Amino acid sequence: MSANNYLSQSGDVEKNIVTENINNVYYDDIVKEELHEAEAGHELKRDLKARHITMIAIGGALGTGLIIGSGSALATAGPAAVFIAYIFVGLVVYMVMCALGEMATWIPLPDGFSGYSSRFVDPALGFAVGWTYFFKYIIVTPNQLTAGALVIQYWISREKVNPGVWITIIFIIILLINLFGVRFFGEFEFWLSSIKIITVIGLILLTLIIALGGGPDHDRRGFRYWKNPGAFKEYTKNNHIIPGAEGRFVSWAAVLVTAVFAYLGTELVGVTVGEAQNPRRNIPRAIKLTFYRIMIFYVVSVFFLGMCVAYDDKKLVFASNASTSASASPFVVAIENAGIKVLPQIINAAILLFIFSASNSDLYIATRTLYGLSVNGKAPKFFSRTNRMGVPYVALGFSSLFCALAYLNCSSSSAKVFGYFVNVVSILGLLTWICILVTHIYFMRALKAQGIDRDTLVYKAPFQPYGSYISLGFCILIAFIKNFTAFVFEFDKTNFITGYIGIPVFLALLFGYKIIMKTKGIPPAEADLHSLKDIIDREEELFLENQARERELHPPSKLGRIYENSIGLLF
């Protein structure tokens, strides 16, 4: 990626200031020349604040995986197994986020982890992970649109209104939001995700109250369901069962995939660096706080849920086989068992809100991923064209075309086929995590080879280098055992293909690009750790100076400071 492309993303004001101060900062002749040749029409706008970045990550990761997916996990493995699985995968995700944060604060690149892989490992890896991540989001976006249509069917049946009508309405709304510019998008997603957080907190408190006997039935459940029918369930499939400890372990391993799917999207904050204000402060802050929020929301939620609903509850079995609506949510099962009325309608509205927010951020990430590939020379240049609001409209239009896949569900016969697309998403997400960890390992090697002390970094990932190595091992293990249940009892070829097809696609992209472009792995001593870093250093100085002047002119009130250090940490 050229310096002019990156610099242009800071906006015209910052670009002019940097150009005027060019003699005060060291640049080599190439960078000097490129600074004066910045190409218009290919720049993003740095309009995302820290709160926007955090909420985009939550909007993409906090969704149906919690409200609905936790039900099938509970019915498969039992409350203790689900609780342990969510903690285990959450720790792996934490290492992935920390690794990403360390690289993003060294040089915030608009092409995210694709750019880091190209710089520190091999351009072929950057190509493969970039397109793999793009494929993930052009699959998950139409799937979210489909889920939205199914949620509305809770109120209006498909016999009265064809699902295609709701798919079209939701698609047009999210397309317009993405067209209005990243500032509007970020503000909209902030408030939408804020409502989602309040909803999840409400569900956590509600399940706790029900478990303690505060519901209309006044039944103090406590850990009753952990004892009977039990904390762990033996694995069952098609009326076959694996008994004993082996069956309980298989059930736990099976729900690791559900936990992975629930956490997917946490890493998408790495795609927002090209439009983030002061990314060296905001990105690591957003990464750390986002993880803690999601960890609490998911782990605490499934813990209390397991206290309120038994894994063999007939309503839960029905919910696990239901469509994506309130009837599919295990939280509704807990509410109905406690004798609470009306709330299922509210939960259904919350699920619709969750899906709408997730589809909105998914389309944004698909667009920015394609833009980043174009900027980095891994996709045609016209995909990086932007309008006056900094929206890569060509990439947005191309990504939107794949939303038409959602119309497969207008026919009930094709809905089952499209449902397997969800299985594809989790393997593509796992491959992305693997590439981030591999890139971070190479990044640390490059720092050591070039004599840069990690203690001097703006953000230093904890538990390194062991954290990335251990997490990489577990990610690879989960990727391989992801759909092992396809081999249990009888071979399920459809489950096997959809569960593992991402691996050969990724390898074809990696080795295909490597063979055609004749790329080579980058030795640690030759990894590019410095290009554009001086520009970003100066850009950060300018931002902090402007921010300091702004605070002098408009100092925050005492109430504002209290908010920033309390409730503001949540939002």
Side-chain angles (χ1 to χ4, degrees), residues 454-472:
R454 288 185 62 245
D455 291 332
T456 63
L457 301 183
V458 176
Y459 172 72
K460 180 183 175 182
F463 311 116
Q464 299 302 335
Y466 308 107
S468 288
Y469 279 107
I470 295 172
S471 299
L472 176 61

Side-chain angles (χ1 to χ4, degrees), residues 253 257 420-428 430-431 475-487 491-507:
V257 180
Y420 287 114
F421 282 177
V422 177
N423 208 9
V424 179
V425 171
S426 57
I427 187 62
L428 297 178
L430 271 169
L431 289 169
C475 283
I476 293 173
L477 178 63
I478 295 173
F480 278 113
I481 69 170
K482 176 183 176 298
N483 285 79
F484 74 97
T485 52
F487 301 96
F491 181 61
D492 184 349
K493 60 180 182 299
T494 308
N495 190 28
F496 172 78
I497 292 172
T498 55
Y500 292 106
I501 192 172
I503 296 177
V505 169
F506 175 81
L507 294 176

Side-chain angles (χ1 to χ4, degrees), residues 87-100:
I87 291 178
F88 178 77
V89 176
L91 293 174
V92 172
V93 173
Y94 178 58
M95 289 294 98
V96 174
M97 298 292 287
C98 290
L100 179 59

Side-chain angles (χ1 to χ4, degrees), residues 239-262:
N239 296 322
H240 294 83
I241 185 171
I242 300 177
E246 181 184 355
R248 290 190 286 270
F249 177 78
V250 170
S251 293
W252 176 78
V255 298
L256 284 177
V257 180
T258 308
V260 167
F261 185 77

Side-chain angles (χ1 to χ4, degrees), residues 171 363 395-405:
F171 168 67
L363 182 59
L396 176 61
F398 183 75
S399 301
S400 299
L401 292 177
F402 294 90
C403 291
L405 290 170

Side-chain angles (χ1 to χ4, degrees), residues 63-115:
T64 55
L66 171 63
I67 297 294
I68 293 173
S70 55
S72 62
L74 182 61
T76 299
V82 174
F83 179 64
I84 295 170
Y86 274 68
I87 291 178
F88 178 77
V89 176
L91 293 174
V92 172
V93 173
Y94 178 58
M95 289 294 98
V96 174
M97 298 292 287
C98 290
L100 179 59
E102 183 169 297
M103 295 185 292
T105 51
W106 178 258
I107 303 180
L109 297 178
D111 40 351
F113 23 82
S114 173

